[in-house]
Amino acid sequence: MTLSLRRRKTRDITPVHVYGAIMPVLDVRIAQIEALGSVHVTIDPHFMPEECGWCDSERPAITSVRVYGNPASDDVTHPLEMEEVCLDCALGEPAAPGRGERIGAVRQALIERADTDHDIRVEVCE
């Protein structure tokens, strides 16, 4: 889904409630994820959010993004294959003070992908 800059400027960007969490409106969330690079974002109308396992326990959030990785077969670390995370954990925000940039699930999938000619598949909840 490609959004024009004009549409984003004229669109209401007031945060919305999604399963009890306050988030940007859907097209803004999609644009934020697409801005990270080679990703294909779709909407999953059946996505059922739950507690994000990537979040700091002091800042719990609900999942709203599903990221599908395609790691290289020789990756000996813990590659991302499929993760459901909150929007902040998908984007890698916020970074911890003094620790540099936070990678986030989407960037991790992009870094680890075996086939760099294909986009990473990402699904978001409505």
Side-chain angles (χ1 to χ4, degrees):
M1 173 180 223
T2 305
L3 303 172
S4 71
L5 186 57
R6 171 182 239 166
R7 182 174 172 202
R8 276 187 267 155
K9 282 187 174 182
T10 60
R11 178 94 174 150
D12 178 17
I13 58 169
T14 305
V16 295
H17 289 273
V18 179
Y19 295 96
I22 299 174
M23 294 184 203
V25 293
L26 184 60
D27 59 348
V28 171
R29 284 183 273 150
I30 291 171
Q32 288 175 313
I33 295 168
E34 287 178 337
L36 295 177
S38 302
V39 297
H40 178 74
V41 183
T42 58
I43 300 165
D44 179 356
H46 304 291
F47 192 121
M48 292 305 299
E50 53 190 52
E51 189 172 307
C52 178
W54 281 39
C55 280
D56 183 337
S57 59
E58 295 176 15
R59 185 190 60 87
I62 63 162
T63 58
S64 62
V65 180
R66 185 179 297 122
V67 181
Y68 292 91
N70 179 20
S73 61
D74 62 349
D75 194 333
V76 295
T77 61
H78 298 291
L80 186 147
E81 294 190 23
M82 191 282 288
E83 290 287 335
E84 291 183 355
V85 295
C86 68
L87 182 61
D88 284 346
C89 289
L91 299 173
E93 298 174 355
R99 295 189 65 198
E101 185 179 18
R102 184 174 174 213
I103 299 290
V106 174
R107 282 197 184 134
Q108 180 178 337
L110 287 167
I111 290 167
E112 295 173 346
R113 67 186 167 164
D115 185 355
T116 58
D117 292 334
H118 290 89
D119 292 349
I120 296 299
R121 185 171 63 136
V122 177
E123 297 173 344
V124 296
C125 72
E126 290 185 283

